[in-house]
Amino acid sequence: KDFGITDVFLHVVPFCDAAYNSKIYHSRYGTDVLNTAVDICHKAGIKLHAWINPYRVKTSNGSIDSLSKDSIAYRWLFDDKAENDDNICFYNDGIYLNPAKSEVKQTVLEVVRELCRNYDIDGIHIDDYFYPTTDSAFDNKTYADYTKETENPLGLSSFRICNVNSLVSSIYTAIKFIDKDLVFSVSPAADIDKNKNTFFADIAAWCKGSCVDMIIPQLYFGFCYKNEDFCFENILSRWKDLAGSSNTKLVIGLAAYKTGTETAADGDEWITRDDILSRETEICLKDKAVFGVAFYSCSSLFSDMELNTASREKIKTVLKGKI
């Protein structure tokens, strides 16, 4: 609160599990983290958004052992019922719920309704985990069944885009049916074309169709990025063009986690400068097309490492000037 934070996004469904008392997904903690967080945030005058991953069960470096046998994802993974045999998909040692399956969509919507009805949250948030690959093997049985049953089937890319669009618009409807003031936000990857062509997330359609209240693209780049198209001000301009003609609020995701890091693409910018995030924050807050900024992650933003501390103090000066 002292820093100037107005909203917190709390990860409550990371891997078909829950950081709250869920009847759908088994809780991964021994306590109701979400209920505690809502209480703390609201007492401080801070809004809290429940962040879920709709499709992710396990990444390539994760372990299936952490998935509770009480989880519906576990049952789908190991049962022998024919109707459930493709609710789960696999890619690169990762496990995902199948976006095309109605049972998956209804399960995700029930999670959303559970959160909205049982907790005094201020919104629902999803991030950039949609289809993990363009490989047709990921959902070949589902798509083959679809083409057999459909007179004029869509191509695979359009089929996948429609599946994701259906879930996103349904989440929006489910939220607004419960409470029209709850905010639905999405945090897609920075590359607009890749979102649609690789992850099958048509962000432009969501904004145009007003089925997302707030879009928070992950503009996790500095000012000296090797690919100039992704240098901060250049990629910011593209997102302003995309969201500018819609009613969707544009909030810019900033890479607090990169402070103190060095990569080939980033160069040494993040280890030699402590003003990248403060400069980006100031640019965004001075721009009428931008509603605000969001920092990922909290642990990086409030780290006591020397460079993080210096960066944070500069950001705080910018934020305090806007309050």
Side-chain angles (χ1 to χ4, degrees):
K1 181 68 175 180
D2 179 63
F3 187 76
I5 296 294
T6 61
D7 296 66
V8 166
F9 297 82
L10 181 67
H11 210 174
V12 299
V13 180
F15 297 98
C16 287
D17 51 10
Y20 64 96
N21 292 331
S22 173
K23 293 183 178 179
I24 302 164
Y25 292 146
H26 179 76
S27 176
R28 66 184 305 172
Y29 304 106
T31 185
D32 192 329
V33 176
L34 177 57
N35 190 55
T36 302
V38 167
D39 185 54
I40 293 171
C41 285
H42 285 181
K43 285 180 178 177
I46 294 174
K47 295 179 180 179
L48 189 138
H49 305 251
W51 167 13
I52 69 174
N53 287 106
Y55 301 128
R56 189 175 66 179
V57 180
K58 183 184 86 70
T59 57
S60 58
N61 59 356
S63 171
I64 196 63
D65 295 334
S66 63
L67 187 64
S68 169
K69 293 181 180 179
D70 295 326
S71 169
I72 191 169
Y74 187 96
R75 297 200 300 271
W76 284 342
L77 188 60
F78 292 105
D79 74 18
D80 56 0
K81 295 180 180 178
E83 65 267 25
N84 294 334
D85 64 357
D86 58 345
N87 284 347
I88 300 287
C89 293
F90 304 88
Y91 171 69
N92 194 27
D93 290 330
I95 303 174
Y96 304 87
L97 301 185
N98 188 342
K101 298 293 288 185
S102 60
E103 296 92 337
V104 168
K105 177 180 172 181
Q106 290 307 313
T107 297
V108 174
L109 292 177
E110 281 304 308
V111 169
V112 169
R113 295 185 185 106
E114 180 178 62
L115 286 164
C116 293
R117 286 172 176 156
N118 297 344
Y119 293 88
D120 187 23
I121 57 176
D122 298 283
I124 294 288
H125 177 75
I126 62 176
D127 59 8
D128 58 328
Y129 280 87
F130 299 104
Y131 278 89
T133 179
T134 58
D135 190 343
S136 61
F138 178 76
D139 54 354
N140 56 356
K141 180 182 182 302
T142 308
Y143 183 65
D145 290 344
Y146 159 75
T147 57
K148 290 177 184 176
E149 298 165 357
T150 307
E151 186 175 351
N152 295 301
L154 298 169
L156 179 60
S157 292
S158 296
F159 170 73
R160 289 179 171 181
I161 287 171
C162 283
N163 292 329
V164 178
N165 283 353
S166 176
L167 180 69
V168 169
S169 61
S170 296
I171 289 176
Y172 179 87
T173 301
I175 292 169
K176 299 303 179 179
F177 183 82
I178 295 170
D179 186 344
K180 63 180 178 60
D181 293 325
L182 290 175
V183 173
F184 178 38
S185 59
V186 182
S187 181
D191 190 328
I192 295 171
D193 298 327
K194 190 173 184 179
N195 278 319
K196 184 174 182 179
N197 300 324
T198 301
F199 306 137
F200 307 100
D202 191 350
I203 314 299
W206 304 348
C207 293
K208 184 178 180 180
S210 297
C211 60
V212 174
D213 295 309
M214 192 159 63
I215 204 82
I216 313 176
Q218 299 172 12
L219 304 195
Y220 296 163
F221 309 94
F223 296 93
C224 303
Y225 195 70
K226 187 175 181 180
N227 182 344
E228 290 187 5
D229 288 343
F230 290 87
C231 286
F232 182 73
E233 289 173 291
N234 295 335
I235 192 66
L236 172 62
S237 179
R238 288 197 67 194
W239 278 94
K240 285 165 56 181
D241 289 343
L242 183 147
S245 60
S246 73
N247 293 322
T248 304
K249 293 177 179 177
L250 178 64
V251 173
I252 302 303
L254 301 180
Y257 76 94
K258 279 193 172 181
T259 303
T261 67
E262 181 179 14
T263 67
D266 288 305
D268 63 0
E269 182 179 17
W270 293 92
I271 62 170
T272 59
R273 301 194 65 96
D274 61 12
D275 64 346
I276 300 173
L277 294 174
S278 59
R279 289 163 60 197
E280 292 178 345
T281 299
E282 188 167 21
I283 288 169
C284 290
L285 297 188
K286 284 183 176 180
D287 195 322
K288 293 182 179 179
V290 178
F291 184 72
V293 296
F295 301 99
Y296 180 78
S297 65
C298 180
S299 59
S300 299
L301 182 64
F302 291 100
S303 167
D304 59 5
M305 297 296 289
E306 184 177 354
L307 196 64
N308 298 68
T309 300
S311 172
R312 181 171 64 251
E313 288 305 310
K314 285 181 167 59
I315 298 169
K316 185 175 181 178
T317 299
V318 174
L319 293 179
K320 285 298 183 181
K322 295 295 179 181
I323 297 175

